[in-house]
Structures are given as C-alpha cells and as structure tokens.
C-alpha cells in the first residue's frame, strides 16, 4: 500500500514533516522493490533521519 503526505503509517506521526515526507518516499520505493511493509517502514525512518542530518534545511532553500 503506497503512502502519501497525508496518509502514512502511524509510526511516522511523530516525525518532523520534512523527515516524514522523505520517509514516505523511501518506504514507497522499498515497497515497490518488494520489501515487507514493516521492514520498509523501519528502514525508511532510519534513512530519512540520516538524510535529514546530512541535508540541513537551510541548504534546501
């Protein structure tokens, strides 16, 4: 089941919106590749948090 900015797993609700959006993007890609939903969520959350640390917001603007 693909997720979106407004429809995401409950475990992502406490993430900052920027991190959550990236996690949703990564999770959807993992699902497309055949990963299990629970594993995709865990990996996507970790990778999105790592991405956020390496890409501060001020660089985005």
């Amino acid at each position: 089941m693909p997720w979106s900015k407004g429809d995401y797993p409950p475990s992502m609700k406490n993430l900052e919106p920027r991190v959550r959006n990236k996690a949703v993007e990564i999770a959807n890609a993992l699902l497309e590749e055949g990963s299990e939903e629970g594993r995709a969520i865990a990996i996507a959350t970790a990778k999105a948090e790592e991405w956020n640390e390496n890409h501060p917001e001020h660089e985005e603007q």
Side-chain angles (χ1 to χ4, degrees):
M1 169 186 160
W3 295 292
S4 66
K5 287 183 180 184
D7 180 29
Y8 46 83
S11 61
M12 292 183 182
K13 73 178 181 178
N14 292 325
L15 296 174
E16 295 176 26
R18 172 181 139 91
V19 177
R20 183 175 51 239
N21 292 339
K22 190 65 168 182
V24 165
E25 179 184 321
I26 295 168
N28 284 335
L30 289 169
L31 287 177
E32 265 187 45
E33 293 175 0
S35 290
E36 279 186 20
E37 191 172 293
R39 186 161 166 78
I41 293 168
I43 292 169
T45 300
K47 291 292 184 184
E49 289 173 343
E50 180 183 327
W51 169 84
N52 189 50
E53 289 175 12
N54 295 323
H55 297 87
E57 276 190 83
H58 68 274
E59 288 183 1
E60 217 176 70
Q61 296 173 352

